[in-house]
Amino acid sequence: MAALTAQNQPKPDGTSEPGRNPERSTKPERNPKQDRSRATRQRLLEAAVACLAEHGWAGSTVAVVAERAGVSRGAAQHHFPTREDLFTAAVEYVAEERSQALRAVRTDDRERAVAALVGLYTGPLFRAALHLWVAASGEEQLRERVTELEARVGRESHRIAVEVLGADESRPGVRETVQGLLDMARGLGLATLLTDDRARRERVVSQWARLVSEALSD
């Protein structure tokens, strides 16, 4: 075994020579370029959802989204080569963010849980998704992507609803009750596109919370 040299021997005070700290050498270093790339991608996704919700498919071009995100069109196309790539990724991104928020709902208050689930279908995500559905109905390539995305989001939404409500789907009728709640929420989301009738929606949510509580009670 080779003897320790003066360069790699510890100092008398217990410290090592500069550049020889093993902890420093194994600690992962941040990559500012990757951080900027992730930040740019997130701004594009958020801007795409906002544009789609406000202007619809026809008014949401890559250039419009890039301008709203504060990046160049070239930077946008570097992350998302096609318009379809950008908007399907944007809706999926916000759906995942919303799902994480719903997973955080831990309450014995069924009315609050029902309101949180309804909120999934009455915010900007639902409006953006609706515009995407309409566009997909007339574009074959987009339709395939959106159909796959919505099937996955639908399954995830149902699973989260079961968790949030504490529902036991082994009991007869419980699965249908949860699905009925989500279908009702979609209806409220459609109504919200035309009018912002929050007072009526709150009454409907309160009534559904009572119905759901009765259906899910032991």
Side-chain angles (χ1 to χ4, degrees):
M1 179 181 296
L4 291 172
T5 66
Q7 185 178 17
N8 58 23
Q9 284 180 348
K11 290 182 179 180
D13 61 1
T15 62
S16 301
E17 289 289 338
R20 295 290 180 175
N21 189 332
E23 292 184 359
R24 182 179 300 174
S25 62
T26 58
K27 185 177 179 180
E29 296 182 359
R30 294 186 62 182
N31 187 323
K33 185 176 181 180
Q34 290 180 349
D35 289 345
R36 288 194 299 271
S37 179
R38 281 191 292 266
T40 298
R41 187 177 191 276
Q42 182 166 333
R43 288 203 307 272
L44 284 166
L45 293 174
E46 292 172 349
V49 171
C51 287
L52 199 56
E54 294 175 13
H55 308 302
W57 176 257
S60 299
T61 63
V62 174
V64 168
V65 172
E67 181 178 1
R68 183 166 188 146
V71 304
S72 68
R73 180 171 180 173
Q77 291 179 321
H78 170 74
H79 288 276
F80 304 101
T82 69
R83 189 185 185 197
E84 291 78 9
D85 289 335
L86 172 59
F87 285 102
T88 53
V91 175
E92 184 173 17
Y93 163 76
V94 180
E96 291 174 355
E97 291 291 303
R98 189 58 176 157
S99 294
Q100 290 180 10
L102 285 172
R103 290 190 195 100
V105 176
R106 291 292 180 265
T107 176
D108 294 331
D109 184 347
R110 281 251 166 82
E111 183 168 345
R112 182 183 170 197
V114 169
L117 291 167
V118 170
L120 177 66
Y121 296 97
T122 55
L125 169 62
F126 183 80
R127 291 195 296 273
L130 184 61
H131 286 298
L132 199 59
W133 297 343
V134 172
S137 67
E139 296 189 25
E140 187 66 32
Q141 183 178 3
L142 187 60
R143 184 188 309 148
E144 183 177 348
R145 296 186 184 195
V146 173
T147 299
E148 180 183 352
L149 170 61
E150 288 305 318
R152 186 166 69 254
V153 170
R155 289 192 298 270
E156 179 72 359
S157 298
H158 185 96
R159 188 182 67 78
I160 292 173
V162 169
E163 293 178 359
V164 169
L165 295 169
D168 180 5
E169 288 195 303
S170 66
R171 296 174 52 204
V174 169
R175 179 176 179 79
E176 289 74 18
T177 297
V178 174
Q179 192 58 56
L181 168 62
L182 296 178
D183 289 343
M184 180 276 296
R186 290 188 187 93
L188 290 177
L190 285 169
T192 301
L193 289 174
L194 299 176
T195 59
D196 185 11
D197 191 356
R198 298 186 184 185
R200 182 183 68 85
R201 186 168 73 232
E202 289 175 359
R203 292 195 298 271
V204 171
V205 169
S206 294
Q207 178 63 19
W208 262 89
R210 286 191 288 271
L211 294 173
V212 168
S213 292
E214 293 174 3
L216 302 183
S217 297
D218 295 332

